[in-house]
């Protein structure tokens, strides 16, 4: 845990201030909420810890009011709880919950992405390559929040090619709820880059219309979410 805290402190300094998860246009309050989600998902905000709105505001370089409002949005999502007169406590996710979330994601994402090998046009797929490269660069630099932002943008952008907005919303919610615990430990162990490079491998398989390879990469990649990123 000490090593994770140390790693988190190091990556925080390089983190972008207000990422826009999923690449969507949003209000300032929503952007603050996205920044908080990204920090939470990347493990920069730790389960069980209590954070005050002024402290988080100083950390992200914004005022306390939008932070407080954004944290109330995260309360509704079950990502944090309010602690009277103190702030907000990051909720913990159980091993069973992580297993269940990942199982649902696999049931939805794997067949959906495999189908894209037949239905998605090459131009749309290639448009995701910059995000895939950003994921790799973030892994190389150890910038966890940038990693999460680019990873979210890539995966939700890919799923959007299936033309089902509700599916994208469901997976986006599952990603928020499951979070990607253990990213800092993977950076320190030098294991995150291999997972990052799978995004480029997946794109190449999709463009080659190789459904078998797409299924293999997606299965392996989601396996990292539970087998590697969920490690504590």
């Amino acid at each position: 845990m000490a090593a994770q805290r140390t790693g988190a402190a190091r990556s925080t300094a390089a983190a972008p201030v207000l990422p826009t998860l999923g690449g969507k246009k949003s209000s300032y309050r929503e952007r603050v909420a996205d920044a908080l989600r990204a920090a939470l998902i990347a493990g920069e905000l730790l389960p069980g810890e209590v954070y005050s709105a002024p402290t988080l505001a100083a950390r992200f370089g914004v005022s306390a009011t939008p932070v407080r409002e954004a944290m109330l949005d995260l309360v509704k999502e079950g990502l944090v709880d309010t602690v009277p007169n103190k702030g907000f406590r990051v909720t913990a996710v159980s091993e069973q919950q992580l297993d269940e979330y990942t199982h649902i994601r696999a049931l939805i994402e794997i067949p959906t992405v495999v189908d894209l090998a037949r239905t998605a046009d090459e131009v749309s797929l290639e448009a995701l390559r910059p995000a895939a490269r950003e994921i790799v660069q973030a892994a190389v630099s150890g910038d966890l929040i940038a990693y999460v932002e680019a990873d979210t943008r890539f995966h939700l952008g890919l799923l959007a090619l299936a033309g089902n907005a509700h599916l994208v919303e469901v997976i986006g919610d599952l990603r928020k709820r499951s979070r990607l615990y253990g990213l800092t430990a993977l950076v320190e162990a030098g294991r995150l880059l291999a997972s990052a490079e799978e995004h480029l491998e997946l794109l190449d398989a999709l463009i080659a219309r190789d459904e078998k390879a797409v299924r293999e990469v997606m299965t392996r990649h989601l396996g990292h979410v539970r087998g590697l990123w969920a490690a504590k």
Side-chain angles (χ1 to χ4, degrees), residues 62-140:
V62 298
S63 64
T65 297
V67 169
R68 190 173 291 106
E69 294 174 343
M71 290 299 276
L72 291 175
D73 290 338
L74 301 191
V75 169
K76 295 177 183 178
E77 296 174 13
L79 301 180
V80 299
D81 294 322
T82 56
V83 180
N85 302 317
K86 291 186 179 180
F88 302 87
R89 178 184 290 112
V90 177
T91 58
V93 181
S94 70
E95 295 293 319
Q96 180 177 346
Q97 287 174 311
L98 287 168
D99 285 337
E100 291 172 352
Y101 294 149
T102 304
H103 180 59
I104 296 171
R105 285 187 60 189
L107 289 175
I108 297 174
E109 289 189 69
I110 293 175
T112 299
V113 176
V114 170
D115 284 346
L116 290 177
R118 292 182 290 102
T119 62
D121 65 88
E122 184 173 345
V123 173
S124 296
L125 291 169
E126 281 292 350
L128 294 170
R129 196 172 293 277
R133 288 173 176 154
E134 287 178 37
I135 297 169
V136 173
Q137 182 55 48
V140 171

Side-chain angles (χ1 to χ4, degrees), residues 105 109-110 112-117 120 125-126 128-129 132 135 151 154-159 194-222:
R105 285 187 60 189
E109 289 189 69
I110 293 175
T112 299
V113 176
V114 170
D115 284 346
L116 290 177
L125 291 169
E126 281 292 350
L128 294 170
R129 196 172 293 277
I135 297 169
D151 182 77
F154 175 89
H155 282 286
L156 297 189
L158 181 62
L159 291 173
S195 179
E197 291 176 336
E198 287 173 350
H199 298 83
L200 293 168
E201 184 182 355
L202 177 60
L203 276 182
D204 290 340
L206 284 165
I207 291 171
R209 310 300 178 187
D210 189 337
E211 294 182 36
K212 182 179 179 181
V214 170
R215 183 177 298 277
E216 190 278 326
V217 176
M218 277 299 298
T219 301
R220 175 168 21 107
H221 191 64
L222 283 180

